[in-house]
Amino acid sequence: MGGTPPLSPLAPANFPELPVINGVRFATIEAGVRYQGRQDVMLAELAPGSAVAGVFTQSATRSAAVLDCQSKISGHSNQGAAILVNSGNANAFTGRNGAEAVQAITNAVAKTLNLPEARVFTSSTGVIGESLPHDRIRNKLADLSGALSEGAIDQAAQAIMTTDTFPKGSSATVEVDGASVQIAGIAKGSGMIAPDMATMLVYIFTDAKVETSVLQSMVSALNDTTFNCITVDSDTSTSDTLLAAATGASGVEITENSVGFMEALRRVMLDLAHQVVRDGEGATKFVEIAVTGATSDADAKTHAMAIANSPLIKTAVAGEDPNWGRVVMAIGKSGAPADRDTLSISFGDISVARNGWVDPDYNEDEAAAYMKGQNLQIRVDLGLGGGKAKVWTCDLTHGYIEINADYRS
Amino acid sequence: MGGTPPLSPLAPANFPELPVINGVRFATIEAGVRYQGRQDVMLAELAPGSAVAGVFTQSATRSAAVLDCQSKISGHSNQGAAILVNSGNANAFTGRNGAEAVQAITNAVAKTLNLPEARVFTSSTGVIGESLPHDRIRNKLADLSGALSEGAIDQAAQAIMTTDTFPKGSSATVEVDGASVQIAGIAKGSGMIAPDMATMLVYIFTDAKVETSVLQSMVSALNDTTFNCITVDSDTSTSDTLLAAATGASGVEITENSVGFMEALRRVMLDLAHQVVRDGEGATKFVEIAVTGATSDADAKTHAMAIANSPLIKTAVAGEDPNWGRVVMAIGKSGAPADRDTLSISFGDISVARNGWVDPDYNEDEAAAYMKGQNLQIRVDLGLGGGKAKVWTCDLTHGYIEINADYRS
């Protein structure tokens, strides 16, 4: 596996201090699913009455755990719920064995924690095409159950990592009708070493009291402008999973009109999404693509994603080259409406092109200096309408090739 | 520009011997459009009565020359036609100036060769966003006209290169009703150095007698399974152009039912398309992706292109890693129908996965040995229907990053 990859230069200075979410307890353990000498399984137990919502990969070859979660996500119970995650093995493309492994684990967790099996959610991340040794996980359930504690979310963020170079966490506190509600989330994603496949896993917890349907519609809506607006290399995982759980322990009721809560949830989701990009394979630059003036928001996102996924743009960013011609190219190929003669492009606040040609005041040296920064913005105005979108990506460097080609498993 | 890139390891041993196509004369010249010390303009003169057909980039930001060609392509004249191509400057994203430059050139060529302006086609390839110094080209037209000769197609293949590492040519001879028809073609594409943008240009000539509408429907149909089935990095040029010209000098009439001619034309187009991939930036492996068993041919192509454009698969090929899990991932994300449990994958003749799991006879060492070859095949059978497609690509290597990020202009 070529050893531990170096810490991403875009990593935050430290893991954030996350608040305790009343109604959730965490435990982690070393089960030896694949990795040795590190914790690789995490269990989260949710108090009776907790609501659980989720969004999942759209892949046609999604993993057994994803299929199982999807079948359970709209359910409800007053008995509580649990989330179990293992790293090291994705249990994807493992035929009938895959579903059997998920069932063996969910059944054992349900018995251990005295929960209905329909309220046990699992995720698996790591190598694909190999049978998940689910007995190694089941053998640790008694120990995991005995170790559950409210403060172990930091260790949970560590245990779900595969080749991530840093654990990812984020939180928010929001005042609702004079009472305080806490939100805390953890995520993993974007580090890969052949033959592992990236999976993005996200778990968000809150002590707010929210109905499942309201929580589901919130995370579905917010997902569109957070996790669905990031890309490292355009390759979609078989296992992407986001689960959000609301324990209700604060007693603060949240409805679909709770704008403050939704905004706090959005901030946590966006922060975690940005951290996944900042841990993108080989990344040295964090890039925001902001598209305005499109015929619709959907068209703006199509253009933004065409820019964010273009290997020519991503290599230009790596080379600190203000190559706006490649931005024109990406807009041209995206398939969404564009008119060359109303198109304007800026790098940060530097206008490089407007109305279909290079800005007469454009100074290449100034733009080249801007590109040396670590956090960059590419702005495009299409001059056609009011549609807009923002997406986030990283550059494409030798590090990406090294991680994905040079190391053999 | 970082000097001349090294010859692609996938380059053919030598430029092929191309037959003279009666009714076409070529000339090339050093006009100093951007490059110094090399020929950078080519002129092809087509005999009276020649039919011209073409296919062009679908980019919304296509260049002025492409827009001009598209407006003329369905026309006809008994006075002959001409094609003028310059390298070094793409005349793309140059506002109103772009169209004016095209008109200045086509007008001057028309006068010099005594042709209607509507029968003068031009292409430009190279840096984008800079005004084309069209006077440098117009000043050379008398010399070009005086130098026209039947045998100069080799020099034409050289003059249209930008950062290609080898010139590309192909030919075929086909017997029709006992008479011989010749087809010869040249192409450029896939070498890029920042801030140049790749353009793929293809020119095919035949002495067959073909009506414009028949020639057009043939190249449009054949383009779908040749040039539209190759990809180096998923980035679409603003200037891609294919022009096919039939002089009729052989006197051999070709109709829409001339299967032998169409097959010969297909071979030439496919050979040129493969040469473009073999000159892909940084390429060290040539990869055929063959998808069968899809719900339709279109769905098969969607899957094949998802595989061919996946950075994770392209880096795995570069690393000689038989990483079939990434093939599963690409099929899952393509958006076309797939069923994990009927899916089979082979590398060459080595079956790696079938019916949704790894083949019980799969031997990783054998597959790893296969991946060391220079010409590879990834075969996927979806087990759903009769749809099939083949596409061609190359690997993603450090060379690609070097060419597009490390060299600053």
Side-chain angles (χ1 to χ4, degrees), chain A residues 221-252:
Chain A
L222 293 173
N223 189 54
D224 275 347
T225 56
T226 56
F227 290 102
N228 275 357
C229 282
I230 62 172
T231 178
V232 168
D233 56 8
S234 79
D235 276 339
T236 308
S237 159
T238 53
S239 311
D240 289 340
T241 294
L242 179 150
L243 288 173
T247 66
S250 68
V252 181

PDB file of all heavy atoms in Angstrom, chain A residues 221-252:
ATOM      1  N   ALA A 221     -32.581  18.255   0.395  1.00  0.00           N
ATOM      2  CA  ALA A 221     -32.462  19.575  -0.238  1.00  0.00           C
ATOM      3  C   ALA A 221     -31.060  20.135  -0.054  1.00  0.00           C
ATOM      4  O   ALA A 221     -30.440  20.638  -1.006  1.00  0.00           O
ATOM      5  CB  ALA A 221     -33.498  20.528   0.347  1.00  0.00           C
ATOM      6  N   LEU A 222     -30.519  20.046   1.149  1.00  0.00           N
ATOM      7  CA  LEU A 222     -29.202  20.633   1.418  1.00  0.00           C
ATOM      8  C   LEU A 222     -28.090  19.850   0.713  1.00  0.00           C
ATOM      9  O   LEU A 222     -27.070  20.420   0.328  1.00  0.00           O
ATOM     10  CB  LEU A 222     -28.935  20.671   2.927  1.00  0.00           C
ATOM     11  CG  LEU A 222     -29.844  21.622   3.709  1.00  0.00           C
ATOM     12  CD1 LEU A 222     -29.623  21.448   5.210  1.00  0.00           C
ATOM     13  CD2 LEU A 222     -29.598  23.077   3.299  1.00  0.00           C
ATOM     14  N   ASN A 223     -28.300  18.550   0.532  1.00  0.00           N
ATOM     15  CA  ASN A 223     -27.300  17.743  -0.146  1.00  0.00           C
ATOM     16  C   ASN A 223     -27.026  18.251  -1.558  1.00  0.00           C
ATOM     17  O   ASN A 223     -25.901  18.222  -2.039  1.00  0.00           O
ATOM     18  CB  ASN A 223     -27.780  16.284  -0.199  1.00  0.00           C
ATOM     19  CG  ASN A 223     -26.715  15.347  -0.690  1.00  0.00           C
ATOM     20  OD1 ASN A 223     -25.609  15.310  -0.146  1.00  0.00           O
ATOM     21  ND2 ASN A 223     -27.014  14.592  -1.738  1.00  0.00           N
ATOM     22  N   ASP A 224     -28.061  18.752  -2.215  1.00  0.00           N
ATOM     23  CA  ASP A 224     -27.922  19.238  -3.594  1.00  0.00           C
ATOM     24  C   ASP A 224     -26.926  20.378  -3.727  1.00  0.00           C
ATOM     25  O   ASP A 224     -26.317  20.546  -4.786  1.00  0.00           O
ATOM     26  CB  ASP A 224     -29.290  19.725  -4.117  1.00  0.00           C
ATOM     27  CG  ASP A 224     -30.104  18.574  -4.672  1.00  0.00           C
ATOM     28  OD1 ASP A 224     -29.523  17.487  -4.870  1.00  0.00           O
ATOM     29  OD2 ASP A 224     -31.304  18.769  -4.907  1.00  0.00           O
ATOM     30  N   THR A 225     -26.809  21.199  -2.676  1.00  0.00           N
ATOM     31  CA  THR A 225     -25.902  22.346  -2.784  1.00  0.00           C
ATOM     32  C   THR A 225     -24.653  22.173  -1.926  1.00  0.00           C
ATOM     33  O   THR A 225     -23.853  23.094  -1.825  1.00  0.00           O
ATOM     34  CB  THR A 225     -26.622  23.650  -2.362  1.00  0.00           C
ATOM     35  OG1 THR A 225     -27.126  23.471  -1.032  1.00  0.00           O
ATOM     36  CG2 THR A 225     -27.765  23.976  -3.297  1.00  0.00           C
ATOM     37  N   THR A 226     -24.486  20.996  -1.314  1.00  0.00           N
ATOM     38  CA  THR A 226     -23.271  20.772  -0.510  1.00  0.00           C
ATOM     39  C   THR A 226     -22.504  19.575  -1.083  1.00  0.00           C
ATOM     40  O   THR A 226     -21.687  19.739  -1.977  1.00  0.00           O
ATOM     41  CB  THR A 226     -23.621  20.585   0.978  1.00  0.00           C
ATOM     42  OG1 THR A 226     -24.544  19.515   1.125  1.00  0.00           O
ATOM     43  CG2 THR A 226     -24.242  21.853   1.557  1.00  0.00           C
ATOM     44  N   PHE A 227     -22.828  18.371  -0.614  1.00  0.00           N
ATOM     45  CA  PHE A 227     -22.059  17.202  -1.075  1.00  0.00           C
ATOM     46  C   PHE A 227     -22.229  16.933  -2.558  1.00  0.00           C
ATOM     47  O   PHE A 227     -21.304  16.471  -3.212  1.00  0.00           O
ATOM     48  CB  PHE A 227     -22.431  15.965  -0.242  1.00  0.00           C
ATOM     49  CG  PHE A 227     -21.938  16.058   1.164  1.00  0.00           C
ATOM     50  CD1 PHE A 227     -22.796  16.383   2.200  1.00  0.00           C
ATOM     51  CD2 PHE A 227     -20.596  15.883   1.463  1.00  0.00           C
ATOM     52  CE1 PHE A 227     -22.338  16.506   3.501  1.00  0.00           C
ATOM     53  CE2 PHE A 227     -20.129  16.004   2.756  1.00  0.00           C
ATOM     54  CZ  PHE A 227     -21.004  16.321   3.778  1.00  0.00           C
ATOM     55  N   ASN A 228     -23.377  17.225  -3.118  1.00  0.00           N
ATOM     56  CA  ASN A 228     -23.542  17.024  -4.562  1.00  0.00           C
ATOM     57  C   ASN A 228     -22.895  18.124  -5.384  1.00  0.00           C
ATOM     58  O   ASN A 228     -22.988  18.123  -6.604  1.00  0.00           O
ATOM     59  CB  ASN A 228     -25.026  16.894  -4.927  1.00  0.00           C
ATOM     60  CG  ASN A 228     -25.515  15.473  -4.760  1.00  0.00           C
ATOM     61  OD1 ASN A 228     -24.735  14.579  -4.433  1.00  0.00           O
ATOM     62  ND2 ASN A 228     -26.802  15.251  -4.994  1.00  0.00           N
ATOM     63  N   CYS A 229     -22.245  19.071  -4.743  1.00  0.00           N
ATOM     64  CA  CYS A 229     -21.534  20.143  -5.462  1.00  0.00           C
ATOM     65  C   CYS A 229     -20.032  20.057  -5.256  1.00  0.00           C
ATOM     66  O   CYS A 229     -19.337  21.058  -5.419  1.00  0.00           O
ATOM     67  CB  CYS A 229     -22.051  21.509  -5.025  1.00  0.00           C
ATOM     68  SG  CYS A 229     -23.624  21.906  -5.795  1.00  0.00           S
ATOM     69  N   ILE A 230     -19.537  18.890  -4.860  1.00  0.00           N
ATOM     70  CA  ILE A 230     -18.087  18.754  -4.787  1.00  0.00           C
ATOM     71  C   ILE A 230     -17.659  17.642  -5.731  1.00  0.00           C
ATOM     72  O   ILE A 230     -18.420  16.729  -6.030  1.00  0.00           O
ATOM     73  CB  ILE A 230     -17.571  18.449  -3.361  1.00  0.00           C
ATOM     74  CG1 ILE A 230     -18.113  17.107  -2.845  1.00  0.00           C
ATOM     75  CG2 ILE A 230     -17.944  19.585  -2.404  1.00  0.00           C
ATOM     76  CD1 ILE A 230     -17.493  16.657  -1.527  1.00  0.00           C
ATOM     77  N   THR A 231     -16.424  17.748  -6.232  1.00  0.00           N
ATOM     78  CA  THR A 231     -15.888  16.692  -7.078  1.00  0.00           C
ATOM     79  C   THR A 231     -14.378  16.700  -6.951  1.00  0.00           C
ATOM     80  O   THR A 231     -13.759  17.758  -6.897  1.00  0.00           O
ATOM     81  CB  THR A 231     -16.306  16.869  -8.551  1.00  0.00           C
ATOM     82  OG1 THR A 231     -15.693  15.819  -9.325  1.00  0.00           O
ATOM     83  CG2 THR A 231     -15.873  18.203  -9.113  1.00  0.00           C
ATOM     84  N   VAL A 232     -13.806  15.525  -6.834  1.00  0.00           N
ATOM     85  CA  VAL A 232     -12.356  15.429  -6.861  1.00  0.00           C
ATOM     86  C   VAL A 232     -11.910  14.970  -8.236  1.00  0.00           C
ATOM     87  O   VAL A 232     -11.058  15.564  -8.865  1.00  0.00           O
ATOM     88  CB  VAL A 232     -11.824  14.495  -5.755  1.00  0.00           C
ATOM     89  CG1 VAL A 232     -10.347  14.163  -5.958  1.00  0.00           C
ATOM     90  CG2 VAL A 232     -12.022  15.140  -4.390  1.00  0.00           C
ATOM     91  N   ASP A 233     -12.530  13.918  -8.763  1.00  0.00           N
ATOM     92  CA  ASP A 233     -12.075  13.369 -10.039  1.00  0.00           C
ATOM     93  C   ASP A 233     -13.206  12.840 -10.906  1.00  0.00           C
ATOM     94  O   ASP A 233     -12.965  12.095 -11.828  1.00  0.00           O
ATOM     95  CB  ASP A 233     -11.036  12.270  -9.802  1.00  0.00           C
ATOM     96  CG  ASP A 233     -11.578  11.157  -8.897  1.00  0.00           C
ATOM     97  OD1 ASP A 233     -12.781  11.181  -8.591  1.00  0.00           O
ATOM     98  OD2 ASP A 233     -10.797  10.289  -8.504  1.00  0.00           O
ATOM     99  N   SER A 234     -14.423  13.195 -10.598  1.00  0.00           N
ATOM    100  CA  SER A 234     -15.604  12.844 -11.401  1.00  0.00           C
ATOM    101  C   SER A 234     -15.973  11.368 -11.261  1.00  0.00           C
ATOM    102  O   SER A 234     -16.931  10.931 -11.883  1.00  0.00           O
ATOM    103  CB  SER A 234     -15.435  13.199 -12.882  1.00  0.00           C
ATOM    104  OG  SER A 234     -14.641  12.236 -13.560  1.00  0.00           O
ATOM    105  N   ASP A 235     -15.245  10.611 -10.467  1.00  0.00           N
ATOM    106  CA  ASP A 235     -15.567   9.203 -10.309  1.00  0.00           C
ATOM    107  C   ASP A 235     -16.457   8.984  -9.091  1.00  0.00           C
ATOM    108  O   ASP A 235     -16.115   9.381  -7.972  1.00  0.00           O
ATOM    109  CB  ASP A 235     -14.283   8.364 -10.203  1.00  0.00           C
ATOM    110  CG  ASP A 235     -13.737   8.032 -11.587  1.00  0.00           C
ATOM    111  OD1 ASP A 235     -14.515   8.090 -12.561  1.00  0.00           O
ATOM    112  OD2 ASP A 235     -12.554   7.702 -11.687  1.00  0.00           O
ATOM    113  N   THR A 236     -17.634   8.377  -9.332  1.00  0.00           N
ATOM    114  CA  THR A 236     -18.652   8.226  -8.298  1.00  0.00           C
ATOM    115  C   THR A 236     -18.504   6.885  -7.599  1.00  0.00           C
ATOM    116  O   THR A 236     -18.425   5.859  -8.235  1.00  0.00           O
ATOM    117  CB  THR A 236     -20.048   8.293  -8.948  1.00  0.00           C
ATOM    118  OG1 THR A 236     -20.106   9.476  -9.732  1.00  0.00           O
ATOM    119  CG2 THR A 236     -21.126   8.305  -7.896  1.00  0.00           C
ATOM    120  N   SER A 237     -18.512   6.916  -6.300  1.00  0.00           N
ATOM    121  CA  SER A 237     -18.341   5.711  -5.501  1.00  0.00           C
ATOM    122  C   SER A 237     -19.572   4.831  -5.535  1.00  0.00           C
ATOM    123  O   SER A 237     -20.683   5.279  -5.796  1.00  0.00           O
ATOM    124  CB  SER A 237     -18.040   6.111  -4.067  1.00  0.00           C
ATOM    125  OG  SER A 237     -18.324   5.071  -3.187  1.00  0.00           O
ATOM    126  N   THR A 238     -19.365   3.552  -5.243  1.00  0.00           N
ATOM    127  CA  THR A 238     -20.481   2.607  -5.099  1.00  0.00           C
ATOM    128  C   THR A 238     -21.105   2.671  -3.715  1.00  0.00           C
ATOM    129  O   THR A 238     -22.089   1.997  -3.441  1.00  0.00           O
ATOM    130  CB  THR A 238     -19.983   1.161  -5.275  1.00  0.00           C
ATOM    131  OG1 THR A 238     -18.880   0.956  -4.385  1.00  0.00           O
ATOM    132  CG2 THR A 238     -19.553   0.907  -6.698  1.00  0.00           C
ATOM    133  N   SER A 239     -20.532   3.446  -2.793  1.00  0.00           N
ATOM    134  CA  SER A 239     -20.913   3.335  -1.385  1.00  0.00           C
ATOM    135  C   SER A 239     -21.264   4.659  -0.710  1.00  0.00           C
ATOM    136  O   SER A 239     -21.539   4.669   0.491  1.00  0.00           O
ATOM    137  CB  SER A 239     -19.767   2.680  -0.598  1.00  0.00           C
ATOM    138  OG  SER A 239     -19.322   1.511  -1.228  1.00  0.00           O
ATOM    139  N   ASP A 240     -21.243   5.783  -1.438  1.00  0.00           N
ATOM    140  CA  ASP A 240     -21.506   7.081  -0.808  1.00  0.00           C
ATOM    141  C   ASP A 240     -22.768   7.049   0.046  1.00  0.00           C
ATOM    142  O   ASP A 240     -23.836   6.655  -0.413  1.00  0.00           O
ATOM    143  CB  ASP A 240     -21.693   8.181  -1.869  1.00  0.00           C
ATOM    144  CG  ASP A 240     -20.404   8.531  -2.577  1.00  0.00           C
ATOM    145  OD1 ASP A 240     -19.319   8.238  -2.038  1.00  0.00           O
ATOM    146  OD2 ASP A 240     -20.496   9.122  -3.672  1.00  0.00           O
ATOM    147  N   THR A 241     -22.640   7.498   1.256  1.00  0.00           N
ATOM    148  CA  THR A 241     -23.751   7.465   2.207  1.00  0.00           C
ATOM    149  C   THR A 241     -23.703   8.677   3.120  1.00  0.00           C
ATOM    150  O   THR A 241     -22.630   9.028   3.628  1.00  0.00           O
ATOM    151  CB  THR A 241     -23.664   6.192   3.083  1.00  0.00           C
ATOM    152  OG1 THR A 241     -23.864   5.047   2.268  1.00  0.00           O
ATOM    153  CG2 THR A 241     -24.700   6.201   4.202  1.00  0.00           C
ATOM    154  N   LEU A 242     -24.833   9.323   3.323  1.00  0.00           N
ATOM    155  CA  LEU A 242     -24.980  10.355   4.347  1.00  0.00           C
ATOM    156  C   LEU A 242     -26.157   9.961   5.218  1.00  0.00           C
ATOM    157  O   LEU A 242     -27.261   9.726   4.712  1.00  0.00           O
ATOM    158  CB  LEU A 242     -25.221  11.734   3.711  1.00  0.00           C
ATOM    159  CG  LEU A 242     -25.418  12.909   4.689  1.00  0.00           C
ATOM    160  CD1 LEU A 242     -24.924  14.200   4.063  1.00  0.00           C
ATOM    161  CD2 LEU A 242     -26.880  13.082   5.139  1.00  0.00           C
ATOM    162  N   LEU A 243     -25.930   9.860   6.519  1.00  0.00           N
ATOM    163  CA  LEU A 243     -27.017   9.598   7.455  1.00  0.00           C
ATOM    164  C   LEU A 243     -27.088  10.752   8.444  1.00  0.00           C
ATOM    165  O   LEU A 243     -26.061  11.205   8.950  1.00  0.00           O
ATOM    166  CB  LEU A 243     -26.781   8.283   8.211  1.00  0.00           C
ATOM    167  CG  LEU A 243     -26.946   6.982   7.403  1.00  0.00           C
ATOM    168  CD1 LEU A 243     -26.510   5.785   8.236  1.00  0.00           C
ATOM    169  CD2 LEU A 243     -28.393   6.811   6.933  1.00  0.00           C
ATOM    170  N   ALA A 244     -28.292  11.242   8.689  1.00  0.00           N
ATOM    171  CA  ALA A 244     -28.505  12.292   9.684  1.00  0.00           C
ATOM    172  C   ALA A 244     -29.464  11.757  10.735  1.00  0.00           C
ATOM    173  O   ALA A 244     -30.494  11.181  10.392  1.00  0.00           O
ATOM    174  CB  ALA A 244     -29.084  13.541   9.025  1.00  0.00           C
ATOM    175  N   ALA A 245     -29.108  11.935  11.998  1.00  0.00           N
ATOM    176  CA  ALA A 245     -29.939  11.420  13.089  1.00  0.00           C
ATOM    177  C   ALA A 245     -30.278  12.544  14.054  1.00  0.00           C
ATOM    178  O   ALA A 245     -29.410  13.311  14.450  1.00  0.00           O
ATOM    179  CB  ALA A 245     -29.204  10.298  13.823  1.00  0.00           C
ATOM    180  N   ALA A 246     -31.544  12.626  14.424  1.00  0.00           N
ATOM    181  CA  ALA A 246     -32.006  13.632  15.387  1.00  0.00           C
ATOM    182  C   ALA A 246     -32.563  12.895  16.606  1.00  0.00           C
ATOM    183  O   ALA A 246     -33.549  12.156  16.495  1.00  0.00           O
ATOM    184  CB  ALA A 246     -33.082  14.507  14.745  1.00  0.00           C
ATOM    185  N   THR A 247     -31.919  13.079  17.760  1.00  0.00           N
ATOM    186  CA  THR A 247     -32.315  12.316  18.950  1.00  0.00           C
ATOM    187  C   THR A 247     -33.496  12.920  19.690  1.00  0.00           C
ATOM    188  O   THR A 247     -34.163  12.238  20.466  1.00  0.00           O
ATOM    189  CB  THR A 247     -31.147  12.222  19.952  1.00  0.00           C
ATOM    190  OG1 THR A 247     -30.859  13.542  20.456  1.00  0.00           O
ATOM    191  CG2 THR A 247     -29.905  11.646  19.298  1.00  0.00           C
ATOM    192  N   GLY A 248     -33.702  14.229  19.517  1.00  0.00           N
ATOM    193  CA  GLY A 248     -34.797  14.889  20.233  1.00  0.00           C
ATOM    194  C   GLY A 248     -34.497  15.194  21.687  1.00  0.00           C
ATOM    195  O   GLY A 248     -35.343  15.735  22.398  1.00  0.00           O
ATOM    196  N   ALA A 249     -33.266  14.868  22.151  1.00  0.00           N
ATOM    197  CA  ALA A 249     -32.929  15.003  23.578  1.00  0.00           C
ATOM    198  C   ALA A 249     -33.016  16.437  24.083  1.00  0.00           C
ATOM    199  O   ALA A 249     -33.218  16.674  25.269  1.00  0.00           O
ATOM    200  CB  ALA A 249     -31.532  14.435  23.835  1.00  0.00           C
ATOM    201  N   SER A 250     -32.867  17.413  23.198  1.00  0.00           N
ATOM    202  CA  SER A 250     -32.961  18.814  23.633  1.00  0.00           C
ATOM    203  C   SER A 250     -34.399  19.225  23.893  1.00  0.00           C
ATOM    204  O   SER A 250     -34.655  20.264  24.507  1.00  0.00           O
ATOM    205  CB  SER A 250     -32.368  19.732  22.558  1.00  0.00           C
ATOM    206  OG  SER A 250     -33.196  19.717  21.403  1.00  0.00           O
ATOM    207  N   GLY A 251     -35.331  18.460  23.366  1.00  0.00           N
ATOM    208  CA  GLY A 251     -36.736  18.811  23.500  1.00  0.00           C
ATOM    209  C   GLY A 251     -37.163  19.957  22.604  1.00  0.00           C
ATOM    210  O   GLY A 251     -38.325  20.370  22.615  1.00  0.00           O
ATOM    211  N   VAL A 252     -36.243  20.464  21.807  1.00  0.00           N
ATOM    212  CA  VAL A 252     -36.562  21.604  20.937  1.00  0.00           C
ATOM    213  C   VAL A 252     -37.134  21.094  19.619  1.00  0.00           C
ATOM    214  O   VAL A 252     -36.463  20.381  18.879  1.00  0.00           O
ATOM    215  CB  VAL A 252     -35.301  22.449  20.659  1.00  0.00           C
ATOM    216  CG1 VAL A 252     -35.660  23.644  19.777  1.00  0.00           C
ATOM    217  CG2 VAL A 252     -34.675  22.913  21.966  1.00  0.00           C
TER     218      VAL A 252
END
